[in-house]
């Protein structure tokens, strides 16, 4: 059992879509430096859980605590500000801006934090290099492959040194060797920063790079193995 307070915590978190309880009374505490895989069948509520933890989706009941604040009680603008500045997100279906170049997308979190263009570009290029896609930096994002977009999205989630990284199937479009390299980079960068890492995945090899496992079924935590 790890000591110390959680950086991100769900308490009785519930999110409903009409009759569907996508997330049903979930308790989950993520401590600094923890590495958690979230697994479970399609439609079990993994994406909704991650979106609620990030404050993208507001819960119907329960609480989300991020860095000692009730995230779910903040306004949309305040939640968005916390997410952009202190969290890294990789969305399952991508949300990079197709009209911007790959490196411009990765620079965005740094620019939100007020970093000047030159150092932001240099830092973004380093992160793209770590993910093996530096050669695509100046291509428009809409012209590169799905797997390359995924790696750029991972670079963007890590570039600003967030305290939590939430990645929803970040390696789904990658071959197994590349998937392992991407995971290794995510683990190395978050470990160095003492950040919590959460990865939704169907891939047991990916999950084996993480310490803790949470299995979700029908919106509930069916199984949890915490190191
Ligand atoms: N925006 C939405 N509107 C309505 N139903 C949704 C929405 N998002 C998810 N759901 C439903 O919530 C449940 C959980 O979905 P999701 O969180 O995407 O699961 P997973 O990521 O595990 O595949 C499913 O029944 C899904 O159809
Ligand atoms: Mg999903």
């Amino acid at each position: 059992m790890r000591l110390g307070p959680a950086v991100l915590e769900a308490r009785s978190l519930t999110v409903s879509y009409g009759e569907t309880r996508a997330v049903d009374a979930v308790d989950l505490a993520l401590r600094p430096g923890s590495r958690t895989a979230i697994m479970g069948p399609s439609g079990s509520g993994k994406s909704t859980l991650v979106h609620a933890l990030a404050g993208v989706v507001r819960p119907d009941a329960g609480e989300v605590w991020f860095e000692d604040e009730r995230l779910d009680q903040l306004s949309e603008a305040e939640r968005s500000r916390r997410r952009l500045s202190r969290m890294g997100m990789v969305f399952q279906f991508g949300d990079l801006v197709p009209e911007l170049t790959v490196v411009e997308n990765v620079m965005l979190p740094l620019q939100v934090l007020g970093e000047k263009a030159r150092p932001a570009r240099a830092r973004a290029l380093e992160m793209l290099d770590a993910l093996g896609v530096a050669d695509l930096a100046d291509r428009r994002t809409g012209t590169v492959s799905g797997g390359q977009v995924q790696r750029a999205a991972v670079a963007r989630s890590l570039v600003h040194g967030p305290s939590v990284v939430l990645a929803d199937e970040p390696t789904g479009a990658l071959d197994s060797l590349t998937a392992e390299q991407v995971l290794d980079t995510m683990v190395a960068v978050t470990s160095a920063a003492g950040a919590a890492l959460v990865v939704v995945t169907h891939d047991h090899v990916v999950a084996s790079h993480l310490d803790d496992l949470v299995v979700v079924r029908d919106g509930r935590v069916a199984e949890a193995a915490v190191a």
Side-chain angles (χ1 to χ4, degrees), residues 17 20 22 41-49 92:
Y17 294 111
T20 309
S42 182
S44 59
K46 305 179 297 296
S47 293
T48 306
L49 173 59
Q92 182 172 4

Side-chain angles (χ1 to χ4, degrees), residues 110-132:
L110 297 170
Q111 293 187 303
V112 167
L113 288 167
E115 183 127 18
K116 295 224 163 30
R118 266 174 92 112
R121 182 180 163 90
R123 179 83 194 106
L125 284 172
E126 276 174 27
M127 200 52 76
L128 286 169
D129 191 39
L131 288 152

Side-chain angles (χ1 to χ4, degrees), residues 79-132:
R79 282 181 280 135
S80 165
R81 172 83 202 159
R82 300 295 182 288
R83 186 163 60 248
L84 290 169
S85 60
R86 303 291 306 136
M87 294 183 181
M89 285 290 296
V90 181
F91 289 90
Q92 182 172 4
F93 300 110
D95 73 324
L96 297 189
V97 184
E99 294 82 12
L100 295 181
T101 65
V102 168
V103 71
E104 284 167 349
N105 269 287
V106 178
M107 288 163 65
L108 282 176
L110 297 170
Q111 293 187 303
V112 167
L113 288 167
E115 183 127 18
K116 295 224 163 30
R118 266 174 92 112
R121 182 180 163 90
R123 179 83 194 106
L125 284 172
E126 276 174 27
M127 200 52 76
L128 286 169
D129 191 39
L131 288 152

